[in-house]
Amino acid sequence: MSKNIAKIIAVSSTAHPLHKFVKKLCEALSEELKIPYEIRIEDYVFLTEHGDKDEYGFAYLPQIFVEYSDGSVKLVLSKIPINEKLKPDLEKAKNIILEKIA
């Protein structure tokens, strides 16, 4: 599954309420897929090139990508799933990403 994935890239902000969740998600994926991860802080150039944008054309945080060994980048998560308790859902987020890279 992850043979040609070089790394997971998250773009976030230390001030964002979901930053710790994104870090935890990247750590879990990194461990499961045996690939490194990188957290870029407020890299809006990267987001503008590769990420989702809101209805006004602005990139937003946080978003998660995979970078393949050929250098190409794929967006794998731009909206953090929320569970019935209105908390970020780690397992659901992991499953969404794993499905997109399968």
Side-chain angles (χ1 to χ4, degrees):
M1 178 196 305
S2 63
K3 64 181 181 289
N4 63 350
I5 297 175
K7 67 179 165 182
I8 300 159
I9 300 171
V11 183
S12 186
S13 163
T14 53
H16 196 284
L18 290 171
H19 180 70
K20 284 188 174 93
F21 174 82
V22 166
K23 186 172 192 273
K24 193 171 167 183
L25 176 60
C26 286
E27 287 167 353
L29 286 165
S30 173
E31 194 173 300
E32 188 168 322
L33 300 172
K34 310 281 186 265
I35 54 174
Y37 73 91
E38 171 187 353
I39 296 181
R40 297 183 178 196
I41 302 300
E42 299 179 23
D43 187 343
Y44 288 100
V45 172
F46 185 87
L47 283 176
T48 302
E49 287 177 23
H50 303 288
D52 270 352
K53 295 165 190 71
D54 66 15
E55 64 271 23
Y56 305 108
F58 294 107
Y60 54 86
L61 299 168
Q63 294 189 47
I64 299 174
F65 306 83
V66 290
E67 183 180 301
Y68 292 94
S69 46
D70 66 1
S72 62
V73 173
K74 179 181 179 181
L75 174 65
V76 290
L77 190 70
S78 64
K79 291 181 174 52
I80 305 294
I82 303 298
N83 66 20
E84 60 281 346
K85 293 180 179 145
L86 303 178
K87 299 278 185 217
D89 190 325
L90 187 70
E91 283 308 308
K92 194 168 183 185
K94 259 177 53 178
N95 290 337
I96 290 168
I97 291 170
L98 292 172
E99 278 178 27
K100 286 190 179 176
I101 61 177

